[in-house]
């Protein structure tokens, strides 16, 4: 796994799914470990569409099928 500092390209009319085991969003060094069922908001930044607010819901086992997270906490 490697960070994608240049961002993810989403071609017109296509869909990119972010999920464990594939391209995913990772919150590094959270202030506290989120509890199952907890919700929190974040903002996704798109180059052309601008900022889009989303709400995440913490689910148990979300990283069960993910790849190696060496160097950081999933
Ligand atoms: Cu990761």
């Amino acid at each position: 796994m490697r960070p994608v500092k240049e961002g993810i390209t989403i071609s017109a009319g296509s869909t990119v799914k972010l999920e464990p085991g594939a391209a995913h969003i990772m919150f590094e060094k959270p202030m506290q470990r989120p509890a199952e069922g907890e919700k929190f908001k974040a903002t996704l930044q798109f180059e052309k569409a601008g900022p889009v607010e989303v709400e995440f819901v913490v689910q148990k086992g979300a990283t069960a099928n993910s790849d190696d997270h060496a160097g950081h906490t999933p």
Side-chain angles (χ1 to χ4, degrees):
M1 185 176 63
R2 63 174 179 81
V4 184
K5 296 195 184 303
E6 67 277 10
I8 297 172
T9 300
I10 306 173
S11 303
S14 70
T15 300
V16 173
K17 194 171 183 178
L18 302 174
E19 58 188 348
H24 57 274
I25 294 172
M26 179 163 297
F27 295 92
E28 295 185 340
K29 299 179 183 174
M31 301 293 284
Q32 61 187 54
R33 179 170 285 275
E36 183 179 356
E38 183 179 333
K39 298 177 182 178
F40 60 93
K41 293 182 180 180
T43 303
L44 301 180
Q45 184 68 42
F46 294 88
E47 184 177 71
K48 296 181 179 172
V52 176
E53 289 194 13
V54 296
E55 184 174 70
F56 289 90
V57 179
V58 179
Q59 295 180 319
K60 185 175 183 180
T63 61
N65 296 323
S66 62
D67 57 5
D68 182 25
H69 292 273
H72 59 278
T73 305

